Structure formats: structure tokens, C-alpha cells
Amino acid sequence: MTSHHRREATSDSETEPSRRLFMKAAAAGVPIAFAGCLGGDDDDGNGNGNGKGNGVGDETEVDTDDSDATYGGEVLWGGSVPVQSLDPHFESAAASARVLENITQGLTRVNWEYEVEGLLAESWETSEDNTELTFNIRQGVQFHDGTELTAEDVYASFNRIEEQQGLAADYMALVDSMEVVDDHTFEMVLSEPFAPMLSRMATSHMHIIPAHQADENEVDEPIGTGPFEFESMELDSEFVMVGFDDYWDDDLPYLDKVTKNEISDDDNRLNTFNAGELDFINGVPPRHAEDLEDDPDIDFIRRFPQSLTYLGLNCNEEPFDDIDARLALDYAIDKQEVMEAALYGQGQVATSPAAPGSEWEHPDLQPRPQDYDLAQEHLEAAGYPDGFEVTFQIPEQYNDQVTAAQVIESQAAQVGIDLNIQLITWSNWLSDVYTDRDFQATTSSYLALWFPDAGFHRPFHSDGAFFFTGWEDEEYNDLVDEARQYYEMDDRAPLYHDAAEILQERRSGHILLYWMPTLMARTHDFQGEVMSPDGSTFRFENTWME
Amino acid sequence: MSTSRFTLTEERKAHYGRFIRQFRRNQKAMIGLVIIVALFFVAIFAQKITIFDMTIQPFSLTPHEPEATNIQNREESPSLQHLMGTDDLGRDIFSRVLVGARISLYVGFTSISAAMVMGTTIGVVAGYYQGLIDEGLMRAMDAMMSFPPILLALTIVAVLEPSLNNVIIALALVYTPFIARVARSAALSVRNESFVEAAVARGESDTYIIFREVLPNCVGPLLVQASINIAFTMLLEASLSFLGLGVQPPTPSWGLMINQGWAFMGDAPWLVFFPALAIAIAVIGFNLLGDGLRDVLDPKGEIIE
């Protein structure tokens, strides 16, 4: 058995059967003969039959079985968004996180159950009151420069995040003290129980770099403990990483080299792939997905949750300060049609900010159906029997949102809600809509929502890092705050289910539209599960070339 | 006094008669005129026009609602049902191209009218007074002309934020200097004519002389300039919309249709082809008319005597 299964064994106690669990079973060697049937158990969640066949909209099969993997070889990857910088603690772009996942590592990582498991920490203990976390650091782990990983490196990395105000500095603010107990024991004392800390440690924002590099202000070429080491990078052109010979897991990686060609143009990238010049591409344009899916020479891969697209309403201003006005718009929108139009049926209609198919997701919650009569009733209750007019600011660079906006506009017009579309640049969106909150209605999306605190706290909690719609609900805030204190999924999940109901029933300032998947295509030569369970980053360690 | 006015009108009538005869004989001008009349027909009858609950134009040429999305029919190739196919949201491109004519003509005419009012006033005043006023006004116009039109329009729209009305304002400002230069040179030559000297000798006010004596005699070259520039404003509107700084979706501007159809060039070229064809026809129409008018209204020989 390969190392992968050892890692699976460290995950927490069994939970109810789920799609994710099924995948784990498949990974453990259960024969796989269910291709295309994976959507079966969550059809009620999003399967408003669109006449396009069963598979569309659900994930393609996750196959983590690497028993027939072969060593050596290079994969040529056509990437959608260029890597700009590589400082794990400061780089927020998803494109950088995608490669950093292979170079640097955290104390924890996410598994296919959306739970955190140990990575550089073999295990951890929590004190009675859940405020003291003691990590047992894995032995025999080498950095790419040959130095050995110790608790000192962990301390130095976290200290850097705190002192230099890295992206995870808000999390470090909850740390009262840190201590290097011995070479392989690291202790962190929190000011209050805070479960999301363990999830955040799995992201590159809290990855571990050697102490001598943590002293530097800028990290251009991170030294990590990952299965691949940074080789070279030419901005907007090429990024190369090579397999690390002394990786602590002796079985991995299989590949010698990963070369990423930066090809930003969607059609260009796809054409280059079709011409046989690449083994693997991400960012497949949704409208070509169906053709690729039907192509027997190509592996088409669809993974959630890359991002969640929503319709944002300003709850501090007329007309959307009135819940009835928000409900009227909600009832006017056919989310399935919006998703079909924007993503050619490749996405999933969103019901809550919890990752689709996870235990964090409310099992029965449904989006409001389109109902013009109810929309009209709510318009009257809001005092706008003839409808109203608002500006609808859309970031122009996201094609799916520009398309979605036009469908929403045409649906809302049916009940007299005039949405005047205004295409704006992303920098204007950030300054006017997000920072100044000078907007009435808008669309945007959130990335990396695999851990529930990211989805429920950042955009919706009044103190959240991305809070901007002005919708405030004390009961909601209390639930999300309370959920942060529980370390076990079984204790936490029900709180998020309740929170999702509040978001829906009290019509928060976000009308959730759809989950956008990561769409990828590859030749049959490139094998193994390349996606990380977070739905956005890649793990090349599990892949090989035939 | 009254007899002299009468003979002047007689004289003008003769000019107009000659102008119409020559215009009719000019093939280019006539083709241009036919295209433009057809465009107007399409623009007016494309859709119902309702102002204050009053339907002025009761019927509609468009077979489908140009803004109605229907994603079941997305990206369909041209057929009898959809003469120019459908776009990525299932909207009928034929209907959108027809309504697009209305937007193009509306933008073209309003912006050129505004540019004519501003440019003519500036040019004629500069040409009549000469000296410092002339220098000041025309150097300001030169400064504006030193920017490429697309860049200046982009800057103005970016500052004002993109919308149909701001595009019109930007285009009017961009084309004002072009009109002003023509108006000034025409005014300069008219200024030294004997009837202007006579008016001065009669003791008429400057305003009277500028607007009653000088201006009417500058119309010819201005008309030529306007009819050529209107083609450019329509093209520039399309460019601005193409760059995402003009008309906002879902309004069917030809430029915006090309912008949104661009991504589909490979598998659904009709999304781009038909709006582009419409722009080409409209631009050719106005250019032919402008060229024809120039041939006929030879500024020195005919209208201005």
C-alpha cells in the first residue's frame, strides 16, 4: 500500500456516509465501476434536470488510487493564470497557491472529507479548554536546502506572519504565546478556542519555511519541505518545479518535473492542448467542457469548490435595506438558468457558503424557486408595487458574471425590477463597491471556501474580513462565533446548518448564485489525482506520466 | 430693402436648384443617401417607440424581443427562424442588429449636432474676430486635436464613467475641433466678402453679422465635414463599446455585440460578423454621402460667392 493510505488512516472517526466517503473507499482499493454515477446521492441538491445527462454539474470521479504509478517523466501544464510571486505568507493569488501547495507544506492539510489531518505535524493534542495546541512535528523531514525541519522553523514561520503582518496575521492575533518545547514539539496557546486555526494552517498563508529564510523580509524562492522544489520562473511565460529527491515520503513524488506554460488566453490554451503540445490544462472555458467530456482521447476533470459567485445587495441603502425588496429580487431569479447561462451547466446552484457535498453543507436547504407572484407580493410589501430601478455593477473581467448579470437583468425585468448593468474594472469594484460600499447591487465571487469559517465568517459575520453588504444579524454572528470553538466536525456542523438557514430565511445581502468548478483536461498519459481536495490547488505528488 | 432681400432669396433658390441637380447626378452621393435613408427606416421602425405612455411608432420590424434571453437556443447558426443566428444568451441577432441601428444613428446624430453647435460657434467667432480671440480659441482646438480621437474619447468616458449619454458627450467634445477648424477657414474667406463689409458699413451688430451674414455662407463645407465625421463618431462609439467603455449591456450596440461575441469567433462567427457588417455599411453610407457632397458643394466655386 502506498503512503497515501497511511495518511488517510490518520483522519478522524467515521461520519455518516457521503459522496466524499465513497471516494475515500474508492481510494482504499474498492474496485471502481461507477464512473458517471457519482452524482446519484446528491441529485436532490442540484439536479434540476437540464436534459444534458447525469454527469453534468457534478464532480467527475475522484480517483486517488496510485497503485500502478510509474516514476520519472515530465508533465507539461498549460496554466490559466500566471504565477506572480511565491512568498507563501504574503501571496494571496490562487495561481500562486496552486504551485505553492507542492513546494511548501503546513502542519496540517485538508483531506477529501474536508477535514484537516496532520502533515508536517504527525499529530496534535488539545488541552481540556481547547486553548493549548501541542503539535508533534514529523521526524526526518528535510527542507530543499538540506536542513532538517524542527520546531524552531515552525516558530520562526508563524512569528514572521505575526511580525510582518502576513495574510494570516488576523489568525496570529488570537495566539497568546508560542513555545518550542523540544526539537519536535511545538506548542501554541490561543486566547480562546479557535478551530479554524487548524484549517488555516493547511493553506500556504501558514506554510512552514526554514528559520533562516523566515528572517528575510522578502521570500522570492521559498525553501519548503514539499515533494517539489522551485526550479525557475520567467514571469508570464514559464514556471518550473522539479521533484525533490529527499522528500520525507520515500514513495513520492513520481514525477521528475512539472513545467507550467503560462497561457492566459482561454481559447489559445485549449487549442495548444488540442494540438498535443501540453499534457494538462486548467481553466477550460465552460462552453467547451461538453465537447471535451465527450472526447474519448481526453480526460476531463471537474472539481468543486473553486469559487462561489453571488449577487451582493447593499443593505444599508434603499431599496435593499428592506428585506421584502431583497426577497422580491430573490424570487425573481431562476438560479438554475443563471448557472446554465454563465457556466454552460458546468456549475452547481449554491444553497449555502459550505463546500458542496461536504458535511458542513445543510442537507435539505434549497435556493428560493423563481416565483413571480411571490416576488410581486414582496414588492408590494416593500412599498414598490411597480418595481424599482437600481444600478447593477459587474466586474467586467469575469465573463461568467457578465453573462449571469444579463440573464438576471432579463428575469428581474419581468417583475418591474430594472437592474441597470454597469460594467466596471476590478480595481473600481474593489474601491467603490467593496471598500466604499457605494453600490446598490453587484456580483462577485469568493475563492477557497473549503473550510467553513472562510465561507461563513469572512463575508457574512459583521466582523468578517470580507464583510461589505451591511447585512447584520446577531443570532447569526453568535452561531458562527460559537462554531469556532468546536474542534470536532460533529459538534460544529449543526451550527453551520443553522447559520445557513438564517442566511436564507432572513435574506442576507448575498443572494448565492452558483459554485464554479475547476475545469481541467489532460491526456491519458497523465495519471493520478491532480486536484487537492480544496477544489482549487493542485497536488502533483500523486500524479505520474505513463 | 425688401426687394434686395427678395432677390437674395431668388439667388439662393437658384443655388439650391443647381445643388440638387448636381447631387442627383453624383452617383456616390446618391448611393450614400439611399443607404442612410434605409438605415433611418430600420432605426425608426425597428421597435415600438413609446414616450410618456404614448405609442408614437406602433409596429415593430424586429421578429424577436432583442433583449429577451433564451439559453435553450444559445449560439444557433443563422436560420429562417433567426436570420442572423442567436448569440450566447439565445438573443436574436437580427433583431439586435436592427435596434443597434437606432443606437448608432442616435449616437452619431446627437454627438455631431452638439459638435456642430459648439464647433461652428467657436470657428465662426474665431474667423470673424481674428487676432487674439482667434489665436486663443484655435490653439485650444489644436491642443484637443493633438490627442488621437480614440484616446481622448476613452479618457473622457473613463472620467465620466461609461454610459450612453457620456459617450455622446465625449464624442461631441472630440469632434468639436474638427468642425471648428472648417468653420473658421470658411468664416475667414466670407469675412472679406463685400456683403459683410456692407453690413459693417450699415452699422449692424457683430452678432447679426456672424449669425445672419457669415454663418449661412459657411454651411456647405460644414455639411461636408459633418457627414464625414458622423461616420467616424459611429465607428468610435462602436470602438468604445467594444472596449467596454460605451453602451452598457444588454443594450444592443453594434460595438458591444462585437465585444461580447469576440470570444465565440471560433465556433459561432455570426455573433461578430453581422454587427460588423452593419457598422461597415453605415460607415460606407455616410462616407459616400460626405464625399459626394464635397464634390457637389465645392466650397469656393458654388455656395460661397
Side-chain angles (χ1 to χ4, degrees), chain B residues 161-234:
Chain B
E161 86 182 24
S163 77
L164 186 60
N165 289 334
N166 289 339
V167 167
I168 293 171
I169 293 172
L171 293 178
L173 289 174
V174 166
Y175 282 99
T176 295
F178 292 86
I179 307 279
R181 277 174 75 131
V182 174
R184 175 181 171 272
S185 69
L188 266 182
S189 61
V190 175
R191 198 203 184 288
N192 299 321
E193 297 289 335
S194 47
F195 60 84
V196 175
E197 280 168 21
V200 174
R202 286 205 305 276
E204 303 283 7
S205 72
D206 282 353
T207 329
Y208 176 90
I209 298 171
I210 290 173
F211 289 104
R212 301 298 294 271
E213 303 284 355
V214 178
L215 188 59
N217 290 292
C218 301
V219 166
L222 283 173
L223 219 54
V224 174
Q225 186 68 24
S227 60
I228 290 174
N229 278 1
I230 201 166
F232 288 122
T233 57
M234 292 168 78

Side-chain angles (χ1 to χ4, degrees), chain A residues 322-392:
Chain A
D322 188 331
I323 183 172
D324 283 305
R326 301 199 294 273
L327 284 170
L329 181 57
D330 198 353
Y331 275 120
I333 300 171
D334 177 349
K335 286 94 185 166
Q336 182 70 27
E337 192 183 52
V338 172
M339 187 279 289
E340 291 273 340
L343 298 181
Y344 287 72
Q346 295 294 314
Q348 288 184 7
V349 172
T351 50
S352 85
S358 70
E359 294 293 321
W360 308 115
E361 192 182 35
H362 193 298
D364 310 311
L365 203 61
Q366 292 291 320
R368 281 194 177 80
Q370 187 180 47
D371 188 327
Y372 289 142
D373 294 334
L374 280 172
Q376 187 58 41
E377 274 176 33
H378 283 288
L379 275 180
E380 279 158 24
Y384 303 100
D386 300 324
F388 51 81
E389 192 178 334
V390 292
T391 54
F392 192 24

Side-chain angles (χ1 to χ4, degrees), chain B:
Chain B
M1 204 60 181
S2 61
T3 39
S4 76
R5 280 227 169 131
F6 181 69
T7 49
L8 191 71
T9 346
E10 261 313 82
E11 209 176 308
R12 278 202 182 145
K13 257 189 192 163
H15 286 313
Y16 292 145
R18 208 180 320 154
F19 163 72
I20 289 168
R21 276 196 307 280
Q22 289 190 333
F23 187 87
R24 276 188 176 164
R25 251 182 276 132
N26 189 308
Q27 261 189 339
K28 276 198 288 187
M30 285 309 286
I31 295 173
L33 189 70
V34 168
I35 291 175
I36 289 155
V37 169
L39 269 181
F40 264 96
F41 177 83
V42 165
I44 292 167
F45 295 106
Q47 258 192 316
K48 288 179 186 166
I49 301 175
T50 309
I51 298 174
F52 300 125
D53 296 335
M54 223 171 57
T55 307
I56 295 173
Q57 200 287 107
F59 66 95
S60 172
L61 275 184
T62 54
H64 300 272
E65 181 56 42
E67 288 176 20
T69 60
N70 178 359
I71 59 161
Q72 257 69 42
N73 294 338
R74 66 197 331 188
E75 291 156 46
E76 276 183 13
S77 53
S79 63
L80 278 179
Q81 172 75 4
H82 299 285
L83 290 177
M84 297 181 181
T86 61
D87 70 4
D88 58 314
L89 291 173
R91 297 175 296 200
D92 181 48
I93 294 178
F94 179 66
S95 304
R96 289 174 68 75
V97 166
L98 293 192
V99 176
R102 185 180 280 181
I103 289 152
S104 266
L105 285 179
Y106 172 67
V107 170
F109 272 87
T110 46
S111 57
I112 277 299
S113 306
M116 281 282 272
V117 171
M118 294 187 289
T120 309
T121 312
I122 293 171
V124 172
V125 166
Y128 178 75
Y129 286 109
Q130 298 176 321
L132 265 182
I133 293 178
D134 184 21
E135 280 294 316
L137 287 174
M138 293 323 287
R139 291 303 79 75
M141 294 294 105
D142 286 348
M144 281 175 76
M145 280 180 87
S146 64
F147 293 98
I150 180 87
L151 201 64
L152 187 59
L154 267 178
T155 314
I156 297 169
V157 173
V159 170
L160 297 175
E161 86 182 24
S163 77
L164 186 60
N165 289 334
N166 289 339
V167 167
I168 293 171
I169 293 172
L171 293 178
L173 289 174
V174 166
Y175 282 99
T176 295
F178 292 86
I179 307 279
R181 277 174 75 131
V182 174
R184 175 181 171 272
S185 69
L188 266 182
S189 61
V190 175
R191 198 203 184 288
N192 299 321
E193 297 289 335
S194 47
F195 60 84
V196 175
E197 280 168 21
V200 174
R202 286 205 305 276
E204 303 283 7
S205 72
D206 282 353
T207 329
Y208 176 90
I209 298 171
I210 290 173
F211 289 104
R212 301 298 294 271
E213 303 284 355
V214 178
L215 188 59
N217 290 292
C218 301
V219 166
L222 283 173
L223 219 54
V224 174
Q225 186 68 24
S227 60
I228 290 174
N229 278 1
I230 201 166
F232 288 122
T233 57
M234 292 168 78
L235 209 53
L236 205 51
E237 182 274 316
S239 312
L240 287 176
S241 296
F242 176 75
L243 294 170
L245 280 169
V247 176
Q248 296 293 308
T251 312
S253 147
W254 293 336
L256 188 62
M257 290 171 74
I258 294 177
N259 170 328
Q260 300 202 310
W262 195 245
F264 303 87
M265 266 304 272
D267 18 52
W270 55 90
L271 264 70
V272 168
F273 178 76
F274 291 107
L277 187 68
I279 293 176
I281 291 174
V283 170
I284 289 171
F286 278 101
N287 267 325
L288 285 176
L289 180 74
D291 278 0
L293 276 177
R294 182 162 40 206
D295 293 347
V296 178
L297 298 172
D298 177 20
K300 285 269 149 52
E302 297 293 329
I303 291 293
I304 303 162
E305 288 186 354

